[in-house]
Each structure stands twice: as C-alpha cells, then as structure tokens.
Amino acid sequence: MRIRNAMTALGLVAMLASAGYATTAAAAPAATANSATETIKTFDGDYGVTSDNGFQLPAIPIQKVKPQFRRQIVEYKTDEAEGTIIVNTRERHLYYILGNGEAMRYGIGVGKQGFSWSGTAYVAWKQEWPNWHPPKEMAVRRPEIAKYVDGGMNPGLSNPLGARAMYLYNEKGQDTLFRLHGTPEWASIGTAASSGCIRLINQDVIDLYSRVLPGRSTKVIVIQ
C-alpha cells in the first residue's frame, strides 16, 4: 500500500489537562507519504525468547499478532530525511525512515481517546530498562500506582515502559512527557490503550532503540 495523504501537523499536546502531560505546543511541518505500503521483508522470526541486560523477555506468540502490526520493511515514499520517525496513530504504525523509499514499520499501541496528541518533537535522550514515574494526576485516577510517583517502579518485566524508552522533547527543549517505549502487554499493540505514549512490543522497541541517535536531528512526527 502507498501513503498519498498530505499531512498537516498540529501543535504538540492535545492531552487533557487532567492527564498531567506538558502543554507546550510545537508546530509540525507539512509532510507527505504514501498510505498504502508494499512489504519488502518481514521479521516474524525475531520475537522469540530474548536475553537482554540480565532480563529474559518471553517469546511473543507472533501468530496472534495481526500481520500488519509485525515488524517489516515496507516501501515508503516521503520527503523526510533518513532517521526520521513518523508515527501514524490512526494506522497504529510507527515508521523509521531508512531512505531509498523504504522504512522499517512497527505496530504500536496509542493513547485512549482524550489522550491523543500530534505534532513534531525530537528524541532528546533514551534509556535501557527505565524506571517508571507516573504523573501525580494519573495516580489520582489509579490510587494503586501512587507509590511509584516519587520512588518510581524499578526496571523489570512488568514495568509499563518495558525494555526501552525514548524521551520526546519539543523544539524549545522542553520535555513533552511523551515517550516511545516498550510494553509487556503485547496484545495491546494495534489498539488505543495507553495514557498517551506510543508503545511497542519489547522486541520491536529494542530494534528501534538500536537505530535511534538522540539529538535534535532525530525528528519525530506524530500524525492523527
């Protein structure tokens, strides 16, 4: 399939104030791509048991994941530079631009209605097996996680940020509080289940993490 829709980007931050996320917007430049894509290569064999930094990630029953949400290289025409990340929340896909008309495509889970956002940002920094610090506003909605607001949840197989996290900042250098991160909940990929961040299967976020160089040159475009 090829993506032919012109993308007009909105400001970064359409989250409700009650979600506790940043409210500083950043305008996104227009971008174009082709919406129907043709698969060049698939990676169904990369979802087995994975040993990583002392943790043993369980195998993903990949046949239970819809084919369009499994990692694959696809044809993707865009004017964006190699290394750009384009997140299409409507399609539930994240594209890492490889150049030469190709992209690595990953299935994603996105924010629930009312927690969605769009615009441009950049990957300011990234972390392997991160701690999780939920915002206070989230703890009000979910009292059972209040103990993690200050101390954080230690890295582990049940940590909501999974095996990797990439932290998105706006053009002013401010933390948006949005992340690209892993998840132990592989069945949520392809759904709107998170509180706003973009989640990937752990094996996929490890692959994406290895490709991303933090800095302003690593642009992230999020399309609704």
Side-chain angles (χ1 to χ4, degrees), residues 57 71 106 161-166 180-183 198-212:
L57 288 168
R71 189 192 331 152
Y106 308 85
L161 293 183
R164 302 286 190 274
M166 287 156 274
L180 308 176
H181 65 85
T183 179
I198 304 300
R199 56 171 66 178
L200 298 86
I201 293 173
N202 275 322
Q203 283 84 341
D204 282 346
V205 82
I206 289 173
D207 181 84
L208 176 63
Y209 184 99
S210 71
R211 301 173 187 277
V212 171

mmCIF file with all atom_site columns, all heavy atoms in Angstrom, residues 57 71 106 161-166 180-183 198-212:
data_model
loop_
_atom_site.group_PDB
_atom_site.id
_atom_site.type_symbol
_atom_site.label_atom_id
_atom_site.label_alt_id
_atom_site.label_comp_id
_atom_site.label_asym_id
_atom_site.label_entity_id
_atom_site.label_seq_id
_atom_site.pdbx_PDB_ins_code
_atom_site.Cartn_x
_atom_site.Cartn_y
_atom_site.Cartn_z
_atom_site.occupancy
_atom_site.B_iso_or_equiv
_atom_site.pdbx_formal_charge
_atom_site.auth_seq_id
_atom_site.auth_comp_id
_atom_site.auth_asym_id
_atom_site.auth_atom_id
_atom_site.pdbx_PDB_model_num
ATOM 1   N N   . LEU A 1 57  ? 13.237 -11.759 28.292 1.00 0.00 ? 57  LEU A N   1
ATOM 2   C CA  . LEU A 1 57  ? 11.942 -11.416 27.725 1.00 0.00 ? 57  LEU A CA  1
ATOM 3   C C   . LEU A 1 57  ? 11.274 -12.666 27.166 1.00 0.00 ? 57  LEU A C   1
ATOM 4   O O   . LEU A 1 57  ? 11.896 -13.426 26.429 1.00 0.00 ? 57  LEU A O   1
ATOM 5   C CB  . LEU A 1 57  ? 12.112 -10.388 26.593 1.00 0.00 ? 57  LEU A CB  1
ATOM 6   C CG  . LEU A 1 57  ? 12.494 -8.973  27.017 1.00 0.00 ? 57  LEU A CG  1
ATOM 7   C CD1 . LEU A 1 57  ? 12.899 -8.162  25.791 1.00 0.00 ? 57  LEU A CD1 1
ATOM 8   C CD2 . LEU A 1 57  ? 11.336 -8.310  27.727 1.00 0.00 ? 57  LEU A CD2 1
ATOM 9   N N   . ARG A 1 71  ? 6.817  -6.401  12.803 1.00 0.00 ? 71  ARG A N   1
ATOM 10  C CA  . ARG A 1 71  ? 7.909  -5.597  12.224 1.00 0.00 ? 71  ARG A CA  1
ATOM 11  C C   . ARG A 1 71  ? 8.202  -6.034  10.795 1.00 0.00 ? 71  ARG A C   1
ATOM 12  O O   . ARG A 1 71  ? 8.302  -7.226  10.502 1.00 0.00 ? 71  ARG A O   1
ATOM 13  C CB  . ARG A 1 71  ? 9.168  -5.744  13.066 1.00 0.00 ? 71  ARG A CB  1
ATOM 14  C CG  . ARG A 1 71  ? 10.279 -4.772  12.667 1.00 0.00 ? 71  ARG A CG  1
ATOM 15  C CD  . ARG A 1 71  ? 11.616 -5.105  13.302 1.00 0.00 ? 71  ARG A CD  1
ATOM 16  N NE  . ARG A 1 71  ? 11.484 -5.769  14.586 1.00 0.00 ? 71  ARG A NE  1
ATOM 17  C CZ  . ARG A 1 71  ? 12.385 -6.606  15.075 1.00 0.00 ? 71  ARG A CZ  1
ATOM 18  N NH1 . ARG A 1 71  ? 13.473 -6.911  14.377 1.00 0.00 ? 71  ARG A NH1 1
ATOM 19  N NH2 . ARG A 1 71  ? 12.205 -7.162  16.254 1.00 0.00 ? 71  ARG A NH2 1
ATOM 20  N N   . TYR A 1 106 ? 6.707  -0.617  12.409 1.00 0.00 ? 106 TYR A N   1
ATOM 21  C CA  . TYR A 1 106 ? 6.390  -1.338  13.641 1.00 0.00 ? 106 TYR A CA  1
ATOM 22  C C   . TYR A 1 106 ? 4.922  -1.103  13.988 1.00 0.00 ? 106 TYR A C   1
ATOM 23  O O   . TYR A 1 106 ? 4.393  -0.006  13.810 1.00 0.00 ? 106 TYR A O   1
ATOM 24  C CB  . TYR A 1 106 ? 7.238  -0.814  14.812 1.00 0.00 ? 106 TYR A CB  1
ATOM 25  C CG  . TYR A 1 106 ? 8.726  -0.760  14.585 1.00 0.00 ? 106 TYR A CG  1
ATOM 26  C CD1 . TYR A 1 106 ? 9.308  0.340   13.956 1.00 0.00 ? 106 TYR A CD1 1
ATOM 27  C CD2 . TYR A 1 106 ? 9.563  -1.778  15.033 1.00 0.00 ? 106 TYR A CD2 1
ATOM 28  C CE1 . TYR A 1 106 ? 10.685 0.408   13.768 1.00 0.00 ? 106 TYR A CE1 1
ATOM 29  C CE2 . TYR A 1 106 ? 10.945 -1.706  14.857 1.00 0.00 ? 106 TYR A CE2 1
ATOM 30  C CZ  . TYR A 1 106 ? 11.497 -0.610  14.218 1.00 0.00 ? 106 TYR A CZ  1
ATOM 31  O OH  . TYR A 1 106 ? 12.861 -0.533  14.038 1.00 0.00 ? 106 TYR A OH  1
ATOM 32  N N   . LEU A 1 161 ? 7.013  0.706   31.035 1.00 0.00 ? 161 LEU A N   1
ATOM 33  C CA  . LEU A 1 161 ? 7.858  1.257   29.973 1.00 0.00 ? 161 LEU A CA  1
ATOM 34  C C   . LEU A 1 161 ? 8.642  0.178   29.230 1.00 0.00 ? 161 LEU A C   1
ATOM 35  O O   . LEU A 1 161 ? 9.298  0.469   28.230 1.00 0.00 ? 161 LEU A O   1
ATOM 36  C CB  . LEU A 1 161 ? 8.829  2.302   30.537 1.00 0.00 ? 161 LEU A CB  1
ATOM 37  C CG  . LEU A 1 161 ? 8.207  3.588   31.068 1.00 0.00 ? 161 LEU A CG  1
ATOM 38  C CD1 . LEU A 1 161 ? 9.302  4.551   31.528 1.00 0.00 ? 161 LEU A CD1 1
ATOM 39  C CD2 . LEU A 1 161 ? 7.331  4.251   30.025 1.00 0.00 ? 161 LEU A CD2 1
ATOM 40  N N   . GLY A 1 162 ? 8.591  -1.041  29.726 1.00 0.00 ? 162 GLY A N   1
ATOM 41  C CA  . GLY A 1 162 ? 9.230  -2.131  29.008 1.00 0.00 ? 162 GLY A CA  1
ATOM 42  C C   . GLY A 1 162 ? 10.744 -2.048  29.001 1.00 0.00 ? 162 GLY A C   1
ATOM 43  O O   . GLY A 1 162 ? 11.373 -1.506  29.906 1.00 0.00 ? 162 GLY A O   1
ATOM 44  N N   . ALA A 1 163 ? 11.327 -2.576  27.930 1.00 0.00 ? 163 ALA A N   1
ATOM 45  C CA  . ALA A 1 163 ? 12.778 -2.739  27.839 1.00 0.00 ? 163 ALA A CA  1
ATOM 46  C C   . ALA A 1 163 ? 13.519 -1.473  27.439 1.00 0.00 ? 163 ALA A C   1
ATOM 47  O O   . ALA A 1 163 ? 14.736 -1.374  27.655 1.00 0.00 ? 163 ALA A O   1
ATOM 48  C CB  . ALA A 1 163 ? 13.108 -3.851  26.841 1.00 0.00 ? 163 ALA A CB  1
ATOM 49  N N   . ARG A 1 164 ? 12.835 -0.521  26.827 1.00 0.00 ? 164 ARG A N   1
ATOM 50  C CA  . ARG A 1 164 ? 13.495 0.692   26.345 1.00 0.00 ? 164 ARG A CA  1
ATOM 51  C C   . ARG A 1 164 ? 12.504 1.847   26.393 1.00 0.00 ? 164 ARG A C   1
ATOM 52  O O   . ARG A 1 164 ? 11.295 1.667   26.237 1.00 0.00 ? 164 ARG A O   1
ATOM 53  C CB  . ARG A 1 164 ? 13.986 0.547   24.889 1.00 0.00 ? 164 ARG A CB  1
ATOM 54  C CG  . ARG A 1 164 ? 14.955 -0.597  24.625 1.00 0.00 ? 164 ARG A CG  1
ATOM 55  C CD  . ARG A 1 164 ? 16.342 -0.311  25.181 1.00 0.00 ? 164 ARG A CD  1
ATOM 56  N NE  . ARG A 1 164 ? 17.313 -1.294  24.720 1.00 0.00 ? 164 ARG A NE  1
ATOM 57  C CZ  . ARG A 1 164 ? 17.543 -2.459  25.314 1.00 0.00 ? 164 ARG A CZ  1
ATOM 58  N NH1 . ARG A 1 164 ? 16.830 -2.824  26.377 1.00 0.00 ? 164 ARG A NH1 1
ATOM 59  N NH2 . ARG A 1 164 ? 18.470 -3.287  24.826 1.00 0.00 ? 164 ARG A NH2 1
ATOM 60  N N   . ALA A 1 165 ? 13.063 3.062   26.544 1.00 0.00 ? 165 ALA A N   1
ATOM 61  C CA  . ALA A 1 165 ? 12.236 4.266   26.446 1.00 0.00 ? 165 ALA A CA  1
ATOM 62  C C   . ALA A 1 165 ? 13.030 5.344   25.734 1.00 0.00 ? 165 ALA A C   1
ATOM 63  O O   . ALA A 1 165 ? 14.245 5.474   25.938 1.00 0.00 ? 165 ALA A O   1
ATOM 64  C CB  . ALA A 1 165 ? 11.806 4.749   27.826 1.00 0.00 ? 165 ALA A CB  1
ATOM 65  N N   . MET A 1 166 ? 12.360 6.092   24.881 1.00 0.00 ? 166 MET A N   1
ATOM 66  C CA  . MET A 1 166 ? 12.935 7.246   24.185 1.00 0.00 ? 166 MET A CA  1
ATOM 67  C C   . MET A 1 166 ? 12.087 8.458   24.524 1.00 0.00 ? 166 MET A C   1
ATOM 68  O O   . MET A 1 166 ? 10.861 8.427   24.381 1.00 0.00 ? 166 MET A O   1
ATOM 69  C CB  . MET A 1 166 ? 12.986 6.983   22.677 1.00 0.00 ? 166 MET A CB  1
ATOM 70  C CG  . MET A 1 166 ? 14.069 5.975   22.295 1.00 0.00 ? 166 MET A CG  1
ATOM 71  S SD  . MET A 1 166 ? 13.787 5.093   20.729 1.00 0.00 ? 166 MET A SD  1
ATOM 72  C CE  . MET A 1 166 ? 12.750 3.723   21.296 1.00 0.00 ? 166 MET A CE  1
ATOM 73  N N   . LEU A 1 180 ? 8.361  7.093   23.498 1.00 0.00 ? 180 LEU A N   1
ATOM 74  C CA  . LEU A 1 180 ? 8.278  5.886   22.685 1.00 0.00 ? 180 LEU A CA  1
ATOM 75  C C   . LEU A 1 180 ? 8.847  4.802   23.581 1.00 0.00 ? 180 LEU A C   1
ATOM 76  O O   . LEU A 1 180 ? 9.989  4.922   24.033 1.00 0.00 ? 180 LEU A O   1
ATOM 77  C CB  . LEU A 1 180 ? 9.105  6.015   21.404 1.00 0.00 ? 180 LEU A CB  1
ATOM 78  C CG  . LEU A 1 180 ? 8.872  7.245   20.524 1.00 0.00 ? 180 LEU A CG  1
ATOM 79  C CD1 . LEU A 1 180 ? 9.859  7.249   19.359 1.00 0.00 ? 180 LEU A CD1 1
ATOM 80  C CD2 . LEU A 1 180 ? 7.445  7.277   20.010 1.00 0.00 ? 180 LEU A CD2 1
ATOM 81  N N   . HIS A 1 181 ? 8.103  3.760   23.861 1.00 0.00 ? 181 HIS A N   1
ATOM 82  C CA  . HIS A 1 181 ? 8.596  2.807   24.848 1.00 0.00 ? 181 HIS A CA  1
ATOM 83  C C   . HIS A 1 181 ? 8.070  1.404   24.577 1.00 0.00 ? 181 HIS A C   1
ATOM 84  O O   . HIS A 1 181 ? 7.138  1.196   23.795 1.00 0.00 ? 181 HIS A O   1
ATOM 85  C CB  . HIS A 1 181 ? 8.215  3.243   26.265 1.00 0.00 ? 181 HIS A CB  1
ATOM 86  C CG  . HIS A 1 181 ? 6.733  3.256   26.541 1.00 0.00 ? 181 HIS A CG  1
ATOM 87  N ND1 . HIS A 1 181 ? 6.044  2.133   26.945 1.00 0.00 ? 181 HIS A ND1 1
ATOM 88  C CD2 . HIS A 1 181 ? 5.814  4.253   26.478 1.00 0.00 ? 181 HIS A CD2 1
ATOM 89  C CE1 . HIS A 1 181 ? 4.772  2.433   27.128 1.00 0.00 ? 181 HIS A CE1 1
ATOM 90  N NE2 . HIS A 1 181 ? 4.600  3.712   26.840 1.00 0.00 ? 181 HIS A NE2 1
ATOM 91  N N   . GLY A 1 182 ? 8.664  0.456   25.255 1.00 0.00 ? 182 GLY A N   1
ATOM 92  C CA  . GLY A 1 182 ? 8.229  -0.927  25.148 1.00 0.00 ? 182 GLY A CA  1
ATOM 93  C C   . GLY A 1 182 ? 7.038  -1.191  26.048 1.00 0.00 ? 182 GLY A C   1
ATOM 94  O O   . GLY A 1 182 ? 6.604  -0.326  26.811 1.00 0.00 ? 182 GLY A O   1
ATOM 95  N N   . THR A 1 183 ? 6.517  -2.391  25.956 1.00 0.00 ? 183 THR A N   1
ATOM 96  C CA  . THR A 1 183 ? 5.407  -2.782  26.833 1.00 0.00 ? 183 THR A CA  1
ATOM 97  C C   . THR A 1 183 ? 5.390  -4.293  27.002 1.00 0.00 ? 183 THR A C   1
ATOM 98  O O   . THR A 1 183 ? 5.678  -5.032  26.052 1.00 0.00 ? 183 THR A O   1
ATOM 99  C CB  . THR A 1 183 ? 4.047  -2.324  26.255 1.00 0.00 ? 183 THR A CB  1
ATOM 100 O OG1 . THR A 1 183 ? 3.000  -2.760  27.141 1.00 0.00 ? 183 THR A OG1 1
ATOM 101 C CG2 . THR A 1 183 ? 3.780  -2.906  24.872 1.00 0.00 ? 183 THR A CG2 1
ATOM 102 N N   . ILE A 1 198 ? 3.444  6.247   23.096 1.00 0.00 ? 198 ILE A N   1
ATOM 103 C CA  . ILE A 1 198 ? 3.444  5.291   21.992 1.00 0.00 ? 198 ILE A CA  1
ATOM 104 C C   . ILE A 1 198 ? 4.179  4.035   22.455 1.00 0.00 ? 198 ILE A C   1
ATOM 105 O O   . ILE A 1 198 ? 5.358  4.083   22.804 1.00 0.00 ? 198 ILE A O   1
ATOM 106 C CB  . ILE A 1 198 ? 4.143  5.887   20.750 1.00 0.00 ? 198 ILE A CB  1
ATOM 107 C CG1 . ILE A 1 198 ? 3.476  7.205   20.335 1.00 0.00 ? 198 ILE A CG1 1
ATOM 108 C CG2 . ILE A 1 198 ? 4.147  4.880   19.613 1.00 0.00 ? 198 ILE A CG2 1
ATOM 109 C CD1 . ILE A 1 198 ? 2.022  7.097   19.977 1.00 0.00 ? 198 ILE A CD1 1
ATOM 110 N N   . ARG A 1 199 ? 3.501  2.916   22.464 1.00 0.00 ? 199 ARG A N   1
ATOM 111 C CA  . ARG A 1 199 ? 4.104  1.668   22.965 1.00 0.00 ? 199 ARG A CA  1
ATOM 112 C C   . ARG A 1 199 ? 4.344  0.682   21.833 1.00 0.00 ? 199 ARG A C   1
ATOM 113 O O   . ARG A 1 199 ? 3.579  0.622   20.868 1.00 0.00 ? 199 ARG A O   1
ATOM 114 C CB  . ARG A 1 199 ? 3.200  1.036   24.026 1.00 0.00 ? 199 ARG A CB  1
ATOM 115 C CG  . ARG A 1 199 ? 1.792  0.757   23.557 1.00 0.00 ? 199 ARG A CG  1
ATOM 116 C CD  . ARG A 1 199 ? 0.983  -0.071  24.558 1.00 0.00 ? 199 ARG A CD  1
ATOM 117 N NE  . ARG A 1 199 ? 0.711  0.612   25.802 1.00 0.00 ? 199 ARG A NE  1
ATOM 118 C CZ  . ARG A 1 199 ? -0.013 0.096   26.796 1.00 0.00 ? 199 ARG A CZ  1
ATOM 119 N NH1 . ARG A 1 199 ? -0.539 -1.136  26.668 1.00 0.00 ? 199 ARG A NH1 1
ATOM 120 N NH2 . ARG A 1 199 ? -0.229 0.759   27.904 1.00 0.00 ? 199 ARG A NH2 1
ATOM 121 N N   . LEU A 1 200 ? 5.428  -0.099  21.976 1.00 0.00 ? 200 LEU A N   1
ATOM 122 C CA  . LEU A 1 200 ? 5.804  -1.119  21.008 1.00 0.00 ? 200 LEU A CA  1
ATOM 123 C C   . LEU A 1 200 ? 6.051  -2.429  21.746 1.00 0.00 ? 200 LEU A C   1
ATOM 124 O O   . LEU A 1 200 ? 6.374  -2.436  22.945 1.00 0.00 ? 200 LEU A O   1
ATOM 125 C CB  . LEU A 1 200 ? 7.072  -0.744  20.241 1.00 0.00 ? 200 LEU A CB  1
ATOM 126 C CG  . LEU A 1 200 ? 7.070  0.512   19.371 1.00 0.00 ? 200 LEU A CG  1
ATOM 127 C CD1 . LEU A 1 200 ? 7.426  1.759   20.182 1.00 0.00 ? 200 LEU A CD1 1
ATOM 128 C CD2 . LEU A 1 200 ? 8.099  0.363   18.237 1.00 0.00 ? 200 LEU A CD2 1
ATOM 129 N N   . ILE A 1 201 ? 5.943  -3.535  21.028 1.00 0.00 ? 201 ILE A N   1
ATOM 130 C CA  . ILE A 1 201 ? 6.381  -4.825  21.558 1.00 0.00 ? 201 ILE A CA  1
ATOM 131 C C   . ILE A 1 201 ? 7.839  -4.691  21.990 1.00 0.00 ? 201 ILE A C   1
ATOM 132 O O   . ILE A 1 201 ? 8.642  -4.029  21.340 1.00 0.00 ? 201 ILE A O   1
ATOM 133 C CB  . ILE A 1 201 ? 6.233  -5.921  20.490 1.00 0.00 ? 201 ILE A CB  1
ATOM 134 C CG1 . ILE A 1 201 ? 4.749  -6.157  20.180 1.00 0.00 ? 201 ILE A CG1 1
ATOM 135 C CG2 . ILE A 1 201 ? 6.899  -7.231  20.932 1.00 0.00 ? 201 ILE A CG2 1
ATOM 136 C CD1 . ILE A 1 201 ? 4.506  -7.109  19.026 1.00 0.00 ? 201 ILE A CD1 1
ATOM 137 N N   . ASN A 1 202 ? 8.206  -5.308  23.111 1.00 0.00 ? 202 ASN A N   1
ATOM 138 C CA  . ASN A 1 202 ? 9.566  -5.146  23.630 1.00 0.00 ? 202 ASN A CA  1
ATOM 139 C C   . ASN A 1 202 ? 10.648 -5.496  22.604 1.00 0.00 ? 202 ASN A C   1
ATOM 140 O O   . ASN A 1 202 ? 11.647 -4.791  22.467 1.00 0.00 ? 202 ASN A O   1
ATOM 141 C CB  . ASN A 1 202 ? 9.752  -5.969  24.899 1.00 0.00 ? 202 ASN A CB  1
ATOM 142 C CG  . ASN A 1 202 ? 9.284  -5.231  26.141 1.00 0.00 ? 202 ASN A CG  1
ATOM 143 O OD1 . ASN A 1 202 ? 9.469  -4.023  26.275 1.00 0.00 ? 202 ASN A OD1 1
ATOM 144 N ND2 . ASN A 1 202 ? 8.674  -5.953  27.068 1.00 0.00 ? 202 ASN A ND2 1
ATOM 145 N N   . GLN A 1 203 ? 10.463 -6.602  21.873 1.00 0.00 ? 203 GLN A N   1
ATOM 146 C CA  . GLN A 1 203 ? 11.463 -6.967  20.864 1.00 0.00 ? 203 GLN A CA  1
ATOM 147 C C   . GLN A 1 203 ? 11.570 -5.891  19.780 1.00 0.00 ? 203 GLN A C   1
ATOM 148 O O   . GLN A 1 203 ? 12.643 -5.673  19.215 1.00 0.00 ? 203 GLN A O   1
ATOM 149 C CB  . GLN A 1 203 ? 11.126 -8.327  20.242 1.00 0.00 ? 203 GLN A CB  1
ATOM 150 C CG  . GLN A 1 203 ? 11.473 -9.528  21.120 1.00 0.00 ? 203 GLN A CG  1
ATOM 151 C CD  . GLN A 1 203 ? 10.404 -9.881  22.142 1.00 0.00 ? 203 GLN A CD  1
ATOM 152 O OE1 . GLN A 1 203 ? 9.546  -9.069  22.471 1.00 0.00 ? 203 GLN A OE1 1
ATOM 153 N NE2 . GLN A 1 203 ? 10.449 -11.109 22.648 1.00 0.00 ? 203 GLN A NE2 1
ATOM 154 N N   . ASP A 1 204 ? 10.455 -5.211  19.495 1.00 0.00 ? 204 ASP A N   1
ATOM 155 C CA  . ASP A 1 204 ? 10.477 -4.153  18.489 1.00 0.00 ? 204 ASP A CA  1
ATOM 156 C C   . ASP A 1 204 ? 11.127 -2.882  19.018 1.00 0.00 ? 204 ASP A C   1
ATOM 157 O O   . ASP A 1 204 ? 11.875 -2.207  18.300 1.00 0.00 ? 204 ASP A O   1
ATOM 158 C CB  . ASP A 1 204 ? 9.054  -3.837  18.018 1.00 0.00 ? 204 ASP A CB  1
ATOM 159 C CG  . ASP A 1 204 ? 8.517  -4.857  17.033 1.00 0.00 ? 204 ASP A CG  1
ATOM 160 O OD1 . ASP A 1 204 ? 9.321  -5.661  16.497 1.00 0.00 ? 204 ASP A OD1 1
ATOM 161 O OD2 . ASP A 1 204 ? 7.299  -4.860  16.780 1.00 0.00 ? 204 ASP A OD2 1
ATOM 162 N N   . VAL A 1 205 ? 10.843 -2.526  20.268 1.00 0.00 ? 205 VAL A N   1
ATOM 163 C CA  . VAL A 1 205 ? 11.433 -1.293  20.793 1.00 0.00 ? 205 VAL A CA  1
ATOM 164 C C   . VAL A 1 205 ? 12.948 -1.441  20.947 1.00 0.00 ? 205 VAL A C   1
ATOM 165 O O   . VAL A 1 205 ? 13.690 -0.471  20.797 1.00 0.00 ? 205 VAL A O   1
ATOM 166 C CB  . VAL A 1 205 ? 10.765 -0.881  22.122 1.00 0.00 ? 205 VAL A CB  1
ATOM 167 C CG1 . VAL A 1 205 ? 11.329 -1.629  23.322 1.00 0.00 ? 205 VAL A CG1 1
ATOM 168 C CG2 . VAL A 1 205 ? 10.894 0.629   22.331 1.00 0.00 ? 205 VAL A CG2 1
ATOM 169 N N   . ILE A 1 206 ? 13.422 -2.661  21.209 1.00 0.00 ? 206 ILE A N   1
ATOM 170 C CA  . ILE A 1 206 ? 14.870 -2.888  21.264 1.00 0.00 ? 206 ILE A CA  1
ATOM 171 C C   . ILE A 1 206 ? 15.479 -2.639  19.889 1.00 0.00 ? 206 ILE A C   1
ATOM 172 O O   . ILE A 1 206 ? 16.539 -2.004  19.763 1.00 0.00 ? 206 ILE A O   1
ATOM 173 C CB  . ILE A 1 206 ? 15.172 -4.313  21.767 1.00 0.00 ? 206 ILE A CB  1
ATOM 174 C CG1 . ILE A 1 206 ? 14.833 -4.429  23.262 1.00 0.00 ? 206 ILE A CG1 1
ATOM 175 C CG2 . ILE A 1 206 ? 16.642 -4.682  21.532 1.00 0.00 ? 206 ILE A CG2 1
ATOM 176 C CD1 . ILE A 1 206 ? 14.929 -5.844  23.808 1.00 0.00 ? 206 ILE A CD1 1
ATOM 177 N N   . ASP A 1 207 ? 14.807 -3.107  18.839 1.00 0.00 ? 207 ASP A N   1
ATOM 178 C CA  . ASP A 1 207 ? 15.289 -2.886  17.478 1.00 0.00 ? 207 ASP A CA  1
ATOM 179 C C   . ASP A 1 207 ? 15.282 -1.396  17.134 1.00 0.00 ? 207 ASP A C   1
ATOM 180 O O   . ASP A 1 207 ? 16.274 -0.866  16.622 1.00 0.00 ? 207 ASP A O   1
ATOM 181 C CB  . ASP A 1 207 ? 14.422 -3.666  16.496 1.00 0.00 ? 207 ASP A CB  1
ATOM 182 C CG  . ASP A 1 207 ? 14.891 -3.499  15.060 1.00 0.00 ? 207 ASP A CG  1
ATOM 183 O OD1 . ASP A 1 207 ? 15.818 -4.231  14.654 1.00 0.00 ? 207 ASP A OD1 1
ATOM 184 O OD2 . ASP A 1 207 ? 14.350 -2.624  14.348 1.00 0.00 ? 207 ASP A OD2 1
ATOM 185 N N   . LEU A 1 208 ? 14.178 -0.707  17.415 1.00 0.00 ? 208 LEU A N   1
ATOM 186 C CA  . LEU A 1 208 ? 14.095 0.729   17.120 1.00 0.00 ? 208 LEU A CA  1
ATOM 187 C C   . LEU A 1 208 ? 15.147 1.505   17.901 1.00 0.00 ? 208 LEU A C   1
ATOM 188 O O   . LEU A 1 208 ? 15.821 2.386   17.346 1.00 0.00 ? 208 LEU A O   1
ATOM 189 C CB  . LEU A 1 208 ? 12.691 1.242   17.470 1.00 0.00 ? 208 LEU A CB  1
ATOM 190 C CG  . LEU A 1 208 ? 12.471 2.750   17.301 1.00 0.00 ? 208 LEU A CG  1
ATOM 191 C CD1 . LEU A 1 208 ? 12.645 3.174   15.852 1.00 0.00 ? 208 LEU A CD1 1
ATOM 192 C CD2 . LEU A 1 208 ? 11.083 3.146   17.826 1.00 0.00 ? 208 LEU A CD2 1
ATOM 193 N N   . TYR A 1 209 ? 15.297 1.189   19.169 1.00 0.00 ? 209 TYR A N   1
ATOM 194 C CA  . TYR A 1 209 ? 16.264 1.866   20.043 1.00 0.00 ? 209 TYR A CA  1
ATOM 195 C C   . TYR A 1 209 ? 17.671 1.803   19.461 1.00 0.00 ? 209 TYR A C   1
ATOM 196 O O   . TYR A 1 209 ? 18.430 2.771   19.516 1.00 0.00 ? 209 TYR A O   1
ATOM 197 C CB  . TYR A 1 209 ? 16.206 1.201   21.413 1.00 0.00 ? 209 TYR A CB  1
ATOM 198 C CG  . TYR A 1 209 ? 17.056 1.813   22.508 1.00 0.00 ? 209 TYR A CG  1
ATOM 199 C CD1 . TYR A 1 209 ? 16.484 2.669   23.438 1.00 0.00 ? 209 TYR A CD1 1
ATOM 200 C CD2 . TYR A 1 209 ? 18.407 1.484   22.646 1.00 0.00 ? 209 TYR A CD2 1
ATOM 201 C CE1 . TYR A 1 209 ? 17.242 3.195   24.474 1.00 0.00 ? 209 TYR A CE1 1
ATOM 202 C CE2 . TYR A 1 209 ? 19.170 2.013   23.678 1.00 0.00 ? 209 TYR A CE2 1
ATOM 203 C CZ  . TYR A 1 209 ? 18.580 2.873   24.591 1.00 0.00 ? 209 TYR A CZ  1
ATOM 204 O OH  . TYR A 1 209 ? 19.329 3.403   25.616 1.00 0.00 ? 209 TYR A OH  1
ATOM 205 N N   . SER A 1 210 ? 18.011 0.648   18.890 1.00 0.00 ? 210 SER A N   1
ATOM 206 C CA  . SER A 1 210 ? 19.366 0.470   18.345 1.00 0.00 ? 210 SER A CA  1
ATOM 207 C C   . SER A 1 210 ? 19.617 1.357   17.128 1.00 0.00 ? 210 SER A C   1
ATOM 208 O O   . SER A 1 210 ? 20.774 1.613   16.765 1.00 0.00 ? 210 SER A O   1
ATOM 209 C CB  . SER A 1 210 ? 19.593 -0.998  17.970 1.00 0.00 ? 210 SER A CB  1
ATOM 210 O OG  . SER A 1 210 ? 18.821 -1.357  16.824 1.00 0.00 ? 210 SER A OG  1
ATOM 211 N N   . ARG A 1 211 ? 18.561 1.858   16.500 1.00 0.00 ? 211 ARG A N   1
ATOM 212 C CA  . ARG A 1 211 ? 18.688 2.682   15.307 1.00 0.00 ? 211 ARG A CA  1
ATOM 213 C C   . ARG A 1 211 ? 18.689 4.186   15.604 1.00 0.00 ? 211 ARG A C   1
ATOM 214 O O   . ARG A 1 211 ? 19.158 4.978   14.792 1.00 0.00 ? 211 ARG A O   1
ATOM 215 C CB  . ARG A 1 211 ? 17.519 2.381   14.342 1.00 0.00 ? 211 ARG A CB  1
ATOM 216 C CG  . ARG A 1 211 ? 17.448 0.931   13.904 1.00 0.00 ? 211 ARG A CG  1
ATOM 217 C CD  . ARG A 1 211 ? 16.179 0.643   13.096 1.00 0.00 ? 211 ARG A CD  1
ATOM 218 N NE  . ARG A 1 211 ? 16.033 -0.782  12.826 1.00 0.00 ? 211 ARG A NE  1
ATOM 219 C CZ  . ARG A 1 211 ? 16.636 -1.419  11.822 1.00 0.00 ? 211 ARG A CZ  1
ATOM 220 N NH1 . ARG A 1 211 ? 17.377 -0.739  10.955 1.00 0.00 ? 211 ARG A NH1 1
ATOM 221 N NH2 . ARG A 1 211 ? 16.473 -2.713  11.661 1.00 0.00 ? 211 ARG A NH2 1
ATOM 222 N N   . VAL A 1 212 ? 18.155 4.546   16.759 1.00 0.00 ? 212 VAL A N   1
ATOM 223 C CA  . VAL A 1 212 ? 17.918 5.964   17.061 1.00 0.00 ? 212 VAL A CA  1
ATOM 224 C C   . VAL A 1 212 ? 19.119 6.598   17.750 1.00 0.00 ? 212 VAL A C   1
ATOM 225 O O   . VAL A 1 212 ? 19.612 6.096   18.757 1.00 0.00 ? 212 VAL A O   1
ATOM 226 C CB  . VAL A 1 212 ? 16.669 6.107   17.955 1.00 0.00 ? 212 VAL A CB  1
ATOM 227 C CG1 . VAL A 1 212 ? 16.531 7.537   18.475 1.00 0.00 ? 212 VAL A CG1 1
ATOM 228 C CG2 . VAL A 1 212 ? 15.422 5.701   17.185 1.00 0.00 ? 212 VAL A CG2 1
#
